Coordinates of all heavy atoms in Angstrom, one line a residue:
M1 N 0.8 -1.2 0.0 CA 0.0 0.0 0.0 C 0.9 1.3 0.0 O 0.5 2.2 -0.6 CB -0.9 0.0 1.2 CG -1.9 1.0 1.2 SD -3.1 0.8 -0.1 CE -4.3 2.0 0.2
K2 N 2.0 1.2 0.7 CA 2.9 2.3 0.8 C 3.5 2.6 -0.6 O 3.6 3.8 -1.0 CB 4.0 2.0 1.7 CG 4.3 3.1 2.7 CD 5.4 2.7 3.6 CE 5.4 3.7 4.8 NZ 6.5 3.5 5.6
E3 N 3.8 1.6 -1.4 CA 4.3 1.7 -2.7 C 3.3 2.4 -3.6 O 3.7 3.3 -4.4 CB 4.7 0.4 -3.3 CG 5.4 0.4 -4.6 CD 6.8 1.0 -4.6 OE1 7.4 1.0 -3.6 OE2 7.2 1.5 -5.7
F4 N 2.1 2.0 -3.5 CA 1.0 2.6 -4.3 C 0.8 4.1 -4.0 O 0.7 4.9 -4.9 CB -0.3 1.8 -4.1 CG -1.5 2.4 -4.9 CD1 -1.6 2.1 -6.2 CD2 -2.4 3.1 -4.3 CE1 -2.6 2.6 -7.0 CE2 -3.5 3.6 -5.0 CZ -3.6 3.4 -6.4
S5 N 0.9 4.5 -2.8 CA 0.7 5.9 -2.4 C 1.9 6.7 -2.9 O 1.7 7.8 -3.4 CB 0.7 6.0 -0.9 OG -0.4 5.3 -0.4
R6 N 3.1 6.1 -2.9 CA 4.2 6.9 -3.4 C 4.1 7.1 -4.9 O 4.4 8.2 -5.4 CB 5.5 6.1 -3.1 CG 6.8 6.9 -3.3 CD 8.0 6.1 -2.9 NE 8.2 5.1 -3.9 CZ 9.3 4.5 -4.2 NH1 10.3 4.7 -3.4 NH2 9.4 3.6 -5.1
I7 N 3.7 6.1 -5.6 CA 3.5 6.2 -7.1 C 2.4 7.3 -7.4 O 2.6 8.1 -8.3 CB 3.1 4.8 -7.7 CG1 4.3 3.9 -7.6 CG2 2.6 5.0 -9.1 CD1 3.9 2.5 -8.1
V8 N 1.3 7.3 -6.6 CA 0.3 8.3 -6.9 C 0.8 9.7 -6.6 O 0.6 10.6 -7.4 CB -0.9 8.0 -6.0 CG1 -1.9 9.2 -5.9 CG2 -1.6 6.7 -6.4
V9 N 1.6 9.9 -5.6 CA 2.2 11.2 -5.2 C 3.1 11.6 -6.3 O 3.1 12.8 -6.8 CB 2.9 11.2 -3.9 CG1 3.7 12.4 -3.6 CG2 1.8 11.0 -2.8
V10 N 4.0 10.7 -6.8 CA 5.0 11.1 -7.8 C 4.2 11.4 -9.1 O 4.6 12.4 -9.8 CB 6.0 9.9 -8.1 CG1 6.8 10.2 -9.3 CG2 6.9 9.8 -6.9
L11 N 3.3 10.7 -9.5 CA 2.5 11.0 -10.8 C 1.8 12.3 -10.7 O 1.7 13.0 -11.6 CB 1.6 9.8 -11.1 CG 2.2 8.6 -11.7 CD1 1.2 7.4 -11.9 CD2 2.9 8.8 -13.0
T12 N 1.2 12.6 -9.5 CA 0.5 13.8 -9.3 C 1.4 15.0 -9.4 O 1.1 16.0 -10.1 CB -0.2 13.8 -7.9 OG1 -1.1 12.7 -7.8 CG2 -0.9 15.1 -7.7
L13 N 2.6 14.9 -8.8 CA 3.6 16.0 -9.0 C 4.1 16.1 -10.4 O 4.2 17.3 -10.9 CB 4.8 15.7 -8.1 CG 4.6 15.8 -6.6 CD1 5.8 15.4 -5.8 CD2 4.3 17.3 -6.3
V14 N 4.3 15.1 -11.1 CA 4.7 15.1 -12.5 C 3.6 15.8 -13.3 O 3.9 16.7 -14.2 CB 5.1 13.7 -13.1 CG1 5.2 13.8 -14.6 CG2 6.3 13.2 -12.5
C15 N 2.4 15.5 -13.1 CA 1.3 16.1 -13.9 C 1.1 17.5 -13.5 O 0.9 18.4 -14.4 CB 0.0 15.3 -13.6 SG -0.1 13.7 -14.3
A16 N 1.3 17.9 -12.2 CA 1.2 19.3 -11.8 C 2.3 20.1 -12.5 O 2.0 21.3 -13.0 CB 1.2 19.4 -10.3
V17 N 3.5 19.7 -12.4 CA 4.6 20.4 -13.0 C 4.4 20.5 -14.5 O 4.6 21.6 -15.1 CB 6.0 19.7 -12.7 CG1 7.1 20.3 -13.5 CG2 6.2 19.9 -11.2
S18 N 4.0 19.5 -15.2 CA 3.7 19.5 -16.6 C 2.7 20.5 -17.0 O 2.8 21.2 -18.0 CB 3.4 18.1 -17.1 OG 4.4 17.2 -16.9
A19 N 1.6 20.5 -16.2 CA 0.5 21.5 -16.5 C 1.0 22.9 -16.3 O 0.6 23.8 -17.1 CB -0.7 21.2 -15.5
F20 N 1.8 23.2 -15.3 CA 2.3 24.5 -15.0 C 3.2 24.9 -16.2 O 3.1 26.0 -16.7 CB 3.1 24.6 -13.7 CG 3.8 25.9 -13.5 CD1 3.1 27.0 -13.2 CD2 5.2 26.0 -13.7 CE1 3.7 28.2 -13.0 CE2 5.8 27.2 -13.5 CZ 5.1 28.3 -13.1
V21 N 4.1 24.1 -16.6 CA 5.0 24.4 -17.7 C 4.2 24.6 -19.0 O 4.5 25.6 -19.8 CB 6.1 23.3 -17.9 CG1 6.8 23.4 -19.2 CG2 7.0 23.2 -16.7
L22 N 3.2 23.8 -19.3 CA 2.4 24.0 -20.5 C 1.7 25.3 -20.5 O 1.6 26.0 -21.5 CB 1.4 22.8 -20.6 CG 0.6 22.8 -21.9 CD1 1.5 22.7 -23.1 CD2 -0.4 21.6 -21.8
S23 N 1.1 25.7 -19.3 CA 0.4 26.9 -19.3 C 1.3 28.1 -19.4 O 1.0 29.1 -20.0 CB -0.4 27.0 -17.9 OG 0.5 27.1 -16.8
Y24 N 2.5 28.0 -18.9 CA 3.5 29.1 -19.0 C 3.9 29.2 -20.4 O 4.0 30.4 -20.9 CB 4.7 28.7 -18.1 CG 5.8 29.8 -18.1 CD1 5.6 31.0 -17.4 CD2 7.0 29.6 -18.8 CE1 6.6 32.0 -17.5 CE2 8.0 30.6 -18.8 CZ 7.8 31.8 -18.1 OH 8.7 32.7 -18.2
V25 N 4.2 28.2 -21.1 CA 4.6 28.2 -22.6 C 3.4 28.8 -23.4 O 3.6 29.6 -24.3 CB 5.0 26.8 -23.1 CG1 5.1 26.8 -24.6 CG2 6.3 26.4 -22.4
H26 N 2.2 28.4 -23.1 CA 1.0 28.9 -23.8 C 0.9 30.4 -23.7 O 0.7 31.1 -24.6 CB -0.2 28.2 -23.4 CG -1.5 28.8 -24.0 ND1 -1.8 28.6 -25.4 CD2 -2.5 29.5 -23.5 CE1 -2.9 29.3 -25.6 NE2 -3.3 29.8 -24.5
K27 N 1.1 30.9 -22.4 CA 1.0 32.3 -22.1 C 2.0 33.1 -22.9 O 1.8 34.2 -23.4 CB 1.1 32.5 -20.6 CG 0.9 34.0 -20.2 CD 1.0 34.1 -18.7 CE 0.9 35.6 -18.3 NZ 1.1 35.7 -16.9
G28 N 3.2 32.5 -23.0 CA 4.3 33.2 -23.6 C 4.3 33.2 -25.1 O 4.9 34.0 -25.8
T29 N 3.5 32.3 -25.7 CA 3.5 32.2 -27.2 C 2.1 32.5 -27.8 O 2.0 32.5 -29.0 CB 3.8 30.7 -27.6 OG1 2.9 29.8 -27.1 CG2 5.2 30.4 -27.2
K30 N 1.1 32.9 -27.0 CA -0.2 33.1 -27.6 C -0.2 34.3 -28.5 O -0.9 34.3 -29.5 CB -1.3 33.2 -26.5 CG -1.3 34.4 -25.7 CD -2.4 34.4 -24.7 CE -2.3 35.6 -23.8 NZ -3.4 35.6 -22.8
D31 N 0.6 35.4 -28.3 CA 0.6 36.5 -29.2 C 1.3 36.1 -30.5 O 0.8 36.6 -31.6 CB 1.4 37.7 -28.5 CG 0.7 38.3 -27.3 OD1 -0.6 38.1 -27.3 OD2 1.3 38.9 -26.5
A32 N 2.3 35.3 -30.5 CA 3.0 34.9 -31.7 C 2.1 34.0 -32.5 O 2.0 34.1 -33.7 CB 4.3 34.2 -31.4
I33 N 1.3 33.2 -31.8 CA 0.4 32.3 -32.5 C -0.7 33.1 -33.2 O -1.1 32.8 -34.3 CB -0.2 31.2 -31.5 CG1 0.9 30.2 -31.1 CG2 -1.4 30.5 -32.2 CD1 0.5 29.3 -30.0
A34 N -1.3 34.1 -32.5 CA -2.3 34.9 -33.0 C -1.8 35.7 -34.2 O -2.5 35.9 -35.2 CB -2.8 35.9 -32.0
F35 N -0.6 36.2 -34.2 CA 0.0 36.9 -35.3 C 0.2 36.0 -36.5 O -0.2 36.4 -37.6 CB 1.4 37.5 -34.9 CG 2.1 38.2 -36.0 CD1 1.7 39.5 -36.4 CD2 3.2 37.7 -36.6 CE1 2.3 40.2 -37.4 CE2 3.8 38.3 -37.6 CZ 3.4 39.6 -38.0
Q36 N 0.6 34.8 -36.3 CA 0.8 33.8 -37.4 C -0.6 33.4 -38.0 O -0.7 33.3 -39.2 CB 1.6 32.6 -37.0 CG 3.0 32.9 -36.7 CD 3.8 33.4 -37.9 OE1 3.5 32.9 -39.1 NE2 4.7 34.3 -37.7
D37 N -1.6 33.3 -37.1 CA -2.9 33.0 -37.6 C -3.5 34.1 -38.5 O -4.1 33.9 -39.5 CB -3.9 32.7 -36.5 CG -3.7 31.4 -35.8 OD1 -3.0 30.5 -36.4 OD2 -4.2 31.2 -34.6
R38 N -3.2 35.4 -38.1 CA -3.6 36.5 -38.9 C -2.9 36.6 -40.2 O -3.5 36.8 -41.2 CB -3.4 37.8 -38.1 CG -3.8 39.1 -38.9 CD -3.7 40.3 -38.1 NE -4.2 41.4 -38.9 CZ -3.4 42.3 -39.5 NH1 -2.1 42.3 -39.4 NH2 -4.0 43.3 -40.2
L39 N -1.6 36.3 -40.2 CA -0.9 36.3 -41.5 C -1.4 35.2 -42.4 O -1.5 35.4 -43.6 CB 0.6 36.0 -41.2 CG 1.4 37.2 -40.6 CD1 2.9 36.8 -40.5 CD2 1.3 38.4 -41.5
E40 N -1.8 34.1 -41.9 CA -2.3 33.0 -42.7 C -3.7 33.4 -43.3 O -3.9 33.2 -44.5 CB -2.5 31.7 -41.9 CG -2.9 30.5 -42.7 CD -3.0 29.3 -41.8 OE1 -3.1 29.3 -40.6 OE2 -3.1 28.2 -42.5
L41 N -4.5 34.0 -42.5 CA -5.8 34.5 -43.0 C -5.6 35.5 -44.1 O -6.3 35.5 -45.1 CB -6.7 35.0 -41.8 CG -8.0 35.6 -42.2 CD1 -8.9 34.6 -42.9 CD2 -8.7 36.3 -41.0
L42 N -4.7 36.5 -43.8 CA -4.5 37.5 -44.9 C -4.0 36.9 -46.2 O -4.3 37.3 -47.2 CB -3.5 38.5 -44.3 CG -4.0 39.5 -43.3 CD1 -2.9 40.4 -42.8 CD2 -5.1 40.4 -44.0
K43 N -3.1 35.9 -46.1 CA -2.6 35.2 -47.3 C -3.8 34.6 -48.1 O -3.9 34.8 -49.3 CB -1.6 34.1 -46.9 CG -1.1 33.3 -48.1 CD -0.1 32.3 -47.6 CE -0.8 31.1 -47.1 NZ 0.1 30.0 -46.8
Y44 N -4.7 34.0 -47.4 CA -5.8 33.4 -48.1 C -6.8 34.4 -48.6 O -7.4 34.3 -49.7 CB -6.6 32.4 -47.2 CG -5.7 31.1 -46.9 CD1 -5.6 30.7 -45.6 CD2 -5.0 30.5 -47.9 CE1 -4.8 29.6 -45.3 CE2 -4.2 29.4 -47.7 CZ -4.1 28.9 -46.4 OH -3.3 27.8 -46.1
L45 N -7.0 35.5 -47.9 CA -7.9 36.6 -48.4 C -7.3 37.2 -49.6 O -8.0 37.6 -50.5 CB -8.1 37.6 -47.2 CG -9.0 37.1 -46.1 CD1 -9.0 38.2 -45.0 CD2 -10.4 36.8 -46.5
E46 N -6.0 37.4 -49.7 CA -5.3 37.9 -50.8 C -5.6 37.1 -52.1 O -5.7 37.6 -53.2 CB -3.8 38.1 -50.6 CG -3.4 39.1 -49.6 CD -3.6 40.5 -50.1 OE1 -3.5 40.8 -51.3 OE2 -4.0 41.4 -49.3
M47 N -5.7 35.8 -51.9 CA -5.9 34.9 -53.0 C -7.3 35.0 -53.6 O -7.6 34.9 -54.8 CB -5.7 33.4 -52.6 CG -4.3 33.0 -52.4 SD -4.4 31.3 -51.9 CE -2.7 31.1 -51.2
V48 N -8.3 35.3 -52.7 CA -9.7 35.3 -53.1 C -10.2 36.7 -53.4 O -11.0 36.8 -54.4 CB -10.5 34.7 -51.9 CG1 -12.0 34.7 -52.2 CG2 -10.1 33.2 -51.7
L49 N -9.8 37.7 -52.7 CA -10.4 39.0 -52.9 C -9.6 39.8 -54.0 O -8.4 39.6 -54.2 CB -10.3 39.8 -51.6 CG -11.2 39.3 -50.5 CD1 -10.9 40.1 -49.2 CD2 -12.7 39.5 -50.9
P50 N -10.3 40.7 -54.7 CA -9.6 41.6 -55.7 C -8.7 42.6 -55.0 O -8.6 42.6 -53.8 CB -10.8 42.3 -56.4 CG -11.9 42.3 -55.4 CD -11.7 41.0 -54.5
E51 N -8.1 43.4 -55.8 CA -7.1 44.4 -55.3 C -7.9 45.3 -54.3 O -9.0 45.7 -54.5 CB -6.6 45.2 -56.4 CG -5.6 46.3 -56.0 CD -5.1 47.1 -57.2 OE1 -5.3 46.7 -58.3 OE2 -4.4 48.1 -56.9
H52 N -7.2 45.6 -53.2 CA -7.9 46.4 -52.1 C -6.8 47.3 -51.4 O -5.6 47.0 -51.5 CB -8.6 45.5 -51.1 CG -7.7 44.5 -50.5 ND1 -7.5 43.3 -51.1 CD2 -7.0 44.4 -49.4 CE1 -6.8 42.5 -50.4 NE2 -6.4 43.2 -49.3
D53 N -7.3 48.3 -50.7 CA -6.4 49.2 -50.0 C -6.7 49.2 -48.5 O -6.3 50.1 -47.8 CB -6.3 50.6 -50.6 CG -7.7 51.2 -50.7 OD1 -8.7 50.7 -50.1 OD2 -7.8 52.3 -51.2
N54 N -7.5 48.3 -48.0 CA -7.9 48.2 -46.6 C -7.3 46.9 -46.0 O -6.6 46.1 -46.7 CB -9.4 48.3 -46.4 CG -10.1 47.0 -46.9 OD1 -9.6 46.4 -47.9 ND2 -11.2 46.7 -46.4
E55 N -7.6 46.7 -44.8 CA -7.2 45.4 -44.1 C -8.5 44.6 -44.0 O -9.3 44.8 -43.1 CB -6.6 45.7 -42.7 CG -5.3 46.4 -42.8 CD -4.7 46.7 -41.4 OE1 -5.1 45.9 -40.5 OE2 -3.9 47.6 -41.3
P56 N -8.7 43.6 -44.9 CA -10.0 42.9 -44.9 C -10.2 42.0 -43.7 O -11.4 41.8 -43.4 CB -9.9 42.1 -46.2 CG -8.5 42.0 -46.6 CD -7.9 43.2 -46.0
D57 N -9.2 41.7 -43.0 CA -9.4 40.9 -41.8 C -9.9 41.7 -40.6 O -10.4 41.2 -39.6 CB -8.1 40.1 -41.4 CG -7.0 41.1 -40.9 OD1 -6.9 42.1 -41.6 OD2 -6.3 40.7 -40.0
K58 N -9.8 43.0 -40.7 CA -10.3 43.9 -39.7 C -11.6 44.6 -40.1 O -12.3 45.2 -39.3 CB -9.3 45.0 -39.3 CG -8.1 44.4 -38.7 CD -7.1 45.4 -38.3 CE -5.9 44.7 -37.6 NZ -4.9 45.7 -37.2
D59 N -11.9 44.6 -41.4 CA -13.1 45.2 -42.0 C -14.1 44.1 -42.2 O -14.2 43.6 -43.3 CB -12.8 46.0 -43.3 CG -13.9 46.9 -43.7 OD1 -15.0 46.9 -43.0 OD2 -13.8 47.5 -44.8
V60 N -14.9 43.8 -41.1 CA -15.7 42.6 -41.2 C -17.2 43.0 -40.8 O -17.4 44.0 -40.1 CB -15.3 41.5 -40.2 CG1 -13.9 41.0 -40.7 CG2 -15.2 41.9 -38.8
K61 N -18.1 42.2 -41.2 CA -19.5 42.3 -40.8 C -20.0 41.0 -40.4 O -19.7 40.0 -41.0 CB -20.4 42.8 -42.0 CG -20.1 44.1 -42.6 CD -20.5 45.2 -41.6 CE -20.2 46.6 -42.2 NZ -20.1 47.6 -41.3
N62 N -20.6 40.9 -39.3 CA -21.2 39.6 -38.7 C -22.7 39.6 -39.0 O -23.4 40.4 -38.4 CB -20.8 39.5 -37.3 CG -21.1 38.1 -36.7 OD1 -21.9 37.4 -37.3 ND2 -20.4 37.8 -35.6
V63 N -23.1 38.7 -39.8 CA -24.5 38.6 -40.1 C -25.0 37.2 -39.8 O -24.5 36.2 -40.4 CB -24.8 38.9 -41.6 CG1 -26.3 38.7 -41.9 CG2 -24.3 40.3 -42.0
S64 N -25.8 37.1 -38.8 CA -26.4 35.7 -38.4 C -25.3 34.7 -38.1 O -25.4 33.6 -38.4 CB -27.3 35.2 -39.4 OG -28.4 36.1 -39.6
G65 N -24.2 35.2 -37.5 CA -23.1 34.3 -37.1 C -22.1 34.0 -38.2 O -21.1 33.3 -38.0
T66 N -22.3 34.5 -39.4 CA -21.3 34.4 -40.5 C -20.5 35.6 -40.6 O -21.1 36.7 -40.7 CB -22.1 34.1 -41.8 OG1 -22.8 32.9 -41.7 CG2 -21.1 33.9 -42.9
I67 N -19.2 35.5 -40.6 CA -18.3 36.7 -40.7 C -18.0 36.9 -42.2 O -17.6 36.0 -42.9 CB -17.1 36.5 -39.9 CG1 -17.4 36.3 -38.5 CG2 -16.1 37.6 -40.1 CD1 -16.2 35.9 -37.6
Y68 N -18.3 38.2 -42.6 CA -18.0 38.6 -44.0 C -16.9 39.5 -44.0 O -16.9 40.5 -43.3 CB -19.3 39.2 -44.7 CG -20.4 38.3 -44.8 CD1 -21.4 38.2 -43.9 CD2 -20.5 37.5 -46.0 CE1 -22.5 37.3 -44.1 CE2 -21.5 36.6 -46.2 CZ -22.5 36.5 -45.2 OH -23.5 35.6 -45.4
Y69 N -15.8 39.2 -44.8 CA -14.7 40.1 -44.9 C -14.9 41.0 -46.1 O -15.1 40.5 -47.2 CB -13.4 39.2 -45.1 CG -13.2 38.3 -43.9 CD1 -13.6 37.0 -44.0 CD2 -12.5 38.7 -42.8 CE1 -13.4 36.1 -42.9 CE2 -12.3 37.8 -41.7 CZ -12.8 36.5 -41.8 OH -12.6 35.7 -40.7
L70 N -14.7 42.3 -45.9 CA -15.0 43.3 -46.9 C -13.7 43.8 -47.5 O -12.8 44.1 -46.8 CB -15.8 44.4 -46.4 CG -17.1 44.1 -45.7 CD1 -17.7 45.4 -45.1 CD2 -18.0 43.4 -46.7
S71 N -13.7 43.8 -48.9 CA -12.5 44.3 -49.6 C -12.9 45.7 -50.1 O -14.0 45.8 -50.8 CB -12.2 43.4 -50.7 OG -11.3 44.0 -51.6
R72 N -12.1 46.7 -49.8 CA -12.4 48.1 -50.3 C -11.3 48.7 -51.1 O -10.1 48.4 -50.8 CB -12.7 49.0 -49.1 CG -13.9 48.6 -48.3 CD -14.0 49.6 -47.1 NE -15.0 49.1 -46.2 CZ -16.3 49.5 -46.2 NH1 -16.7 50.3 -47.1 NH2 -17.1 49.0 -45.3
L73 N -11.7 49.4 -52.1 CA -10.7 50.1 -53.0 C -11.3 51.5 -53.1 O -12.4 51.7 -53.6 CB -10.5 49.5 -54.3 CG -9.4 50.0 -55.2 CD1 -8.1 49.9 -54.5 CD2 -9.4 49.4 -56.5
N74 N -10.5 52.5 -52.7 CA -10.9 53.9 -52.6 C -12.2 54.1 -51.9 O -13.2 54.8 -52.3 CB -11.1 54.5 -54.1 CG -9.8 54.4 -54.8 OD1 -8.7 54.6 -54.2 ND2 -9.9 54.2 -56.1
N75 N -12.3 53.4 -50.7 CA -13.5 53.4 -49.8 C -14.8 52.9 -50.4 O -15.9 53.2 -49.9 CB -13.7 54.8 -49.2 CG -14.2 54.8 -47.8 OD1 -14.2 53.8 -47.2 ND2 -14.8 55.9 -47.4
T76 N -14.7 52.1 -51.5 CA -15.8 51.5 -52.1 C -15.7 50.0 -52.0 O -14.6 49.4 -52.4 CB -16.0 51.9 -53.6 OG1 -16.0 53.3 -53.6 CG2 -17.2 51.3 -54.2
I77 N -16.7 49.3 -51.6 CA -16.6 47.8 -51.5 C -16.5 47.2 -52.9 O -17.3 47.5 -53.8 CB -17.8 47.2 -50.8 CG1 -17.9 47.7 -49.3 CG2 -17.8 45.7 -50.8 CD1 -19.1 47.3 -48.5
N78 N -15.4 46.4 -53.1 CA -15.3 45.8 -54.4 C -15.2 44.3 -54.3 O -15.0 43.6 -55.3 CB -14.0 46.3 -55.1 CG -12.8 46.0 -54.5 OD1 -12.7 45.6 -53.3 ND2 -11.7 46.2 -55.1
G79 N -15.4 43.7 -53.1 CA -15.4 42.3 -52.9 C -15.8 41.9 -51.5 O -15.6 42.6 -50.6
I80 N -16.4 40.7 -51.4 CA -16.8 40.2 -50.1 C -16.4 38.7 -50.1 O -16.4 38.0 -51.1 CB -18.3 40.3 -50.0 CG1 -18.8 41.7 -50.0 CG2 -18.8 39.6 -48.7 CD1 -20.3 41.9 -50.0
C81 N -15.9 38.3 -48.9 CA -15.5 36.9 -48.7 C -16.0 36.4 -47.4 O -16.2 37.1 -46.5 CB -13.9 37.0 -48.7 SG -13.2 35.3 -48.5
F82 N -16.3 35.1 -47.4 CA -16.8 34.4 -46.2 C -16.3 33.0 -46.2 O -15.9 32.4 -47.2 CB -18.3 34.5 -46.1 CG -19.0 33.8 -47.2 CD1 -19.5 32.5 -47.0 CD2 -19.3 34.5 -48.3 CE1 -20.2 31.9 -48.0 CE2 -20.0 33.9 -49.4 CZ -20.4 32.5 -49.2
I83 N -16.3 32.4 -45.0 CA -15.8 31.0 -44.8 C -17.1 30.1 -44.7 O -18.0 30.4 -43.9 CB -14.9 30.9 -43.6 CG1 -13.7 31.8 -43.7 CG2 -14.5 29.4 -43.4 CD1 -12.8 31.8 -42.5
T84 N -17.1 29.1 -45.5 CA -18.2 28.1 -45.4 C -17.6 26.7 -45.1 O -16.4 26.5 -45.2 CB -19.0 28.1 -46.7 OG1 -20.1 27.2 -46.5 CG2 -18.2 27.6 -47.8
S85 N -18.4 25.8 -44.7 CA -17.9 24.4 -44.4 C -18.9 23.4 -44.8 O -20.1 23.6 -44.9 CB -17.5 24.3 -42.9 OG -18.6 24.5 -42.1
S86 N -18.4 22.2 -44.9 CA -19.2 21.0 -45.2 C -18.7 19.8 -44.4 O -17.5 19.7 -44.1 CB -19.1 20.7 -46.7 OG -19.7 19.5 -47.0
E87 N -19.6 19.0 -44.0 CA -19.3 17.8 -43.2 C -18.9 16.6 -44.1 O -18.6 15.6 -43.6 CB -20.5 17.4 -42.3 CG -20.8 18.4 -41.2 CD -19.8 18.3 -40.1 OE1 -19.1 17.3 -39.9 OE2 -19.7 19.4 -39.5
K88 N -19.0 16.8 -45.4 CA -18.7 15.7 -46.4 C -17.3 15.5 -46.7 O -17.0 14.9 -47.7 CB -19.6 16.0 -47.6 CG -21.0 15.9 -47.3 CD -21.8 16.1 -48.6 CE -23.3 16.1 -48.2 NZ -24.2 16.3 -49.4
G89 N -16.4 16.1 -45.9 CA -14.9 15.9 -46.2 C -14.5 14.5 -45.8 O -15.2 13.8 -45.1
Y90 N -13.4 14.1 -46.3 CA -12.9 12.7 -46.1 C -12.7 12.5 -44.6 O -13.0 11.4 -44.1 CB -11.6 12.5 -46.9 CG -10.9 11.2 -46.6 CD1 -11.4 10.0 -47.0 CD2 -9.8 11.1 -45.7 CE1 -10.9 8.8 -46.7 CE2 -9.2 9.9 -45.5 CZ -9.7 8.7 -46.0 OH -9.2 7.6 -45.7
N91 N -12.1 13.4 -43.9 CA -11.8 13.2 -42.5 C -12.5 14.3 -41.6 O -11.9 14.9 -40.7 CB -10.3 13.3 -42.3 CG -9.8 12.8 -41.0 OD1 -10.6 12.1 -40.3 ND2 -8.6 13.1 -40.6
G92 N -13.8 14.5 -41.9 CA -14.6 15.4 -41.1 C -14.8 16.7 -41.8 O -15.1 16.8 -43.0
L93 N -14.8 17.8 -41.1 CA -15.2 19.1 -41.5 C -14.2 19.6 -42.6 O -13.0 19.6 -42.4 CB -15.2 20.1 -40.4 CG -15.7 21.5 -40.6 CD1 -17.2 21.5 -41.0 CD2 -15.5 22.4 -39.4
M94 N -14.8 20.1 -43.7 CA -14.0 20.7 -44.8 C -14.4 22.2 -44.9 O -15.6 22.5 -45.1 CB -14.3 20.0 -46.1 CG -13.4 20.4 -47.2 SD -13.6 19.4 -48.7 CE -15.4 19.5 -49.1
R95 N -13.4 23.1 -44.8 CA -13.7 24.5 -44.8 C -13.2 25.1 -46.2 O -12.3 24.6 -46.8 CB -13.0 25.2 -43.7 CG -13.5 24.8 -42.4 CD -12.7 25.4 -41.2 NE -12.7 26.9 -41.3 CZ -11.8 27.6 -40.6 NH1 -11.0 27.1 -39.8 NH2 -11.9 28.9 -40.7
A96 N -14.0 26.1 -46.7 CA -13.7 26.7 -47.9 C -13.9 28.2 -47.8 O -14.8 28.7 -47.1 CB -14.5 26.2 -49.1
L97 N -13.0 29.0 -48.5 CA -13.1 30.4 -48.5 C -13.8 30.8 -49.8 O -13.3 30.5 -50.9 CB -11.7 31.0 -48.4 CG -11.6 32.4 -47.9 CD1 -12.1 32.6 -46.5 CD2 -10.1 32.8 -47.9
V98 N -14.9 31.6 -49.7 CA -15.7 32.0 -50.9 C -15.6 33.5 -51.1 O -15.9 34.2 -50.2 CB -17.1 31.5 -50.8 CG1 -17.9 31.9 -52.0 CG2 -17.2 30.0 -50.6
G99 N -15.1 33.9 -52.3 CA -15.1 35.3 -52.6 C -16.0 35.7 -53.7 O -16.2 35.0 -54.6
V100 N -16.6 36.8 -53.5 CA -17.6 37.4 -54.5 C -17.2 38.8 -54.9 O -16.9 39.6 -54.0 CB -19.0 37.4 -53.9 CG1 -20.0 37.9 -55.0 CG2 -19.4 36.0 -53.4

């Protein structure tokens, strides 16, 4: 019984230290992760939207839970983009970016 208690205490300490280290690393890298996510979104928006002089990832409209990214040139909307998805993908959810 003593051996079992010692194993439980050691595993609990290992899990607690691992959780602390993981939360510390997450806190230190969340800004860099958010920046890289924004760059990836901008790369895909550049592929779908026409020439624009705004930041389409910040110029958004939310209509019924769907986010529409607006492309503007000379303060006139010249394109709209949104993300749609389908459950019919090979391995689950398949997302697509649609530009109009």
Side-chain angles (χ1 to χ4, degrees):
M1 188 66 173
K2 229 178 192 187
E3 182 70 25
F4 179 74
S5 298
R6 193 176 74 160
I7 291 172
V8 168
V9 169
V10 169
L11 286 176
T12 302
L13 287 174
V14 167
C15 290
V17 169
S18 299
F20 174 74
V21 169
L22 185 61
S23 67
Y24 182 74
V25 168
H26 175 69
K27 183 179 177 183
T29 59
K30 72 178 174 182
D31 291 337
I33 292 170
F35 179 73
Q36 290 299 322
D37 288 344
R38 179 175 185 254
L39 287 180
E40 184 179 18
L41 176 63
L42 283 173
K43 178 178 78 172
Y44 293 132
L45 290 175
E46 290 290 327
M47 289 181 195
V48 176
L49 292 173
E51 182 180 349
H52 54 276
D53 57 7
N54 68 331
E55 296 180 21
D57 66 319
K58 293 183 179 178
D59 193 359
V60 298
K61 298 289 183 199
N62 190 338
V63 179
S64 301
T66 302
I67 298 174
Y68 293 93
Y69 301 95
L70 304 177
S71 169
R72 295 179 190 267
L73 188 61
N74 299 326
N75 210 19
T76 303
I77 296 176
N78 66 345
I80 299 173
C81 180
F82 61 95
I83 299 173
T84 186
S85 61
S86 172
E87 293 289 334
K88 296 181 181 180
Y90 174 73
N91 197 15
L93 187 66
M94 184 173 61
R95 295 174 57 193
L97 202 61
V98 178
V100 180

